[in-house]
Amino acid sequence: MNRLAGLTRFLVPSPCYLCGTPSVEDNGLCARCASDLSADKRTVPHRCPRCAIRVSEAGQRCAACLQHPPHFDFAVAGQDFNAASRYLIHQFKYRKDPGVLNALMQPLFLSIEQAYGRRQDGLTNNQLKDWPDVLIPMPIHPERRQVRGFNQARLIADRIGRRFDLPVHGKAVVRSGSSESQSGLSAIDRRKSLKNAFEVRQALPRHVVIVDDVMTTGSSADALAHALKRSGVRMVSVWVLARTPAPGDIPH
């Protein structure tokens, strides 16, 4: 949201995106909903370092990653894909309301800083986690791009790039496979539909981050990471706004 829009919201508060309470925050949420949505809370969930799904202990890998490790090496999620985050992401993704992106980005920024350390804190390279070289927005099929009018992953990547001073390579990879939506498909069907779906068209540096809105089964990220590593990339991380919980794991 630009400065003028923020001033307008301050002078004439608009309803909170989630509860309808008048809000004067730039992110479009009231203070309570912003606090509930934020990852900077007393009870930040432990997540599998490989796929970012909830686990019971810090540093613990989930059973799925132990049995069948994905091609990507590390993942960060801003929050779980629950009722609140689902509503905001759908408003952003399907109703073309970019204002809600402000509310969604803050938890992801905090999670990235918690995982990697803040470079502006004066830490040495040895004290920092291996920060990536470039961000790659998850490509969408040209037909879906034409219908939607934008790639939501590119907008997210641009925000991350500005926040952490990281370059975004939006044309390095193209999606040439099926334009069918992945939502509603089983994990097996997702993998089948994504076989050879991505083509890397530019030489890329050693460490690349895939940026997307939601990780559900991880099939799309896995297929893209596989293509990136075949092209010569050594390390692939994934950063997403939200991670779908495991079946039966209902986030509070």
Side-chain angles (χ1 to χ4, degrees), residues 164-179:
F164 297 109
D165 192 25
L166 293 170
V168 179
H169 288 195
K171 297 182 179 180
V173 183
V174 295
R175 186 163 186 161
S176 54
S178 171
S179 63

Side-chain angles (χ1 to χ4, degrees), residues 18 29-39 41 79 82 84 107 252:
L18 291 176
L29 300 178
C30 68
R32 180 174 181 177
C33 287
S35 176
D36 289 343
L37 197 70
S38 173
K41 297 184 291 186
Q79 58 196 292
N82 53 25
H252 300 288

Side-chain angles (χ1 to χ4, degrees), residues 5 7 44 71 73-74 76-77 96 103 105 141 168 181 226 234 246:
L7 178 60
V44 177
H71 288 94
D73 303 282
F74 186 70
V76 173
K96 301 181 180 180
M105 293 305 305
H141 195 279
V168 179
S181 172
H226 189 205
R234 298 290 301 277

Side-chain angles (χ1 to χ4, degrees), residues 17 22 32-34 36 38 45 51 53-54 84 105 110 121 126 140 143-144 146 150 157 164 174 217 229 244:
Y17 282 117
R32 180 174 181 177
C33 287
D36 289 343
S38 173
C51 74
I53 206 162
R54 282 196 183 205
M105 293 305 305
L110 290 168
D121 285 344
N126 292 333
I140 61 175
E143 292 178 4
R144 295 183 65 79
Q146 185 175 11
F150 65 100
F164 297 109
V174 295
T217 65
K229 287 194 170 180
T244 299

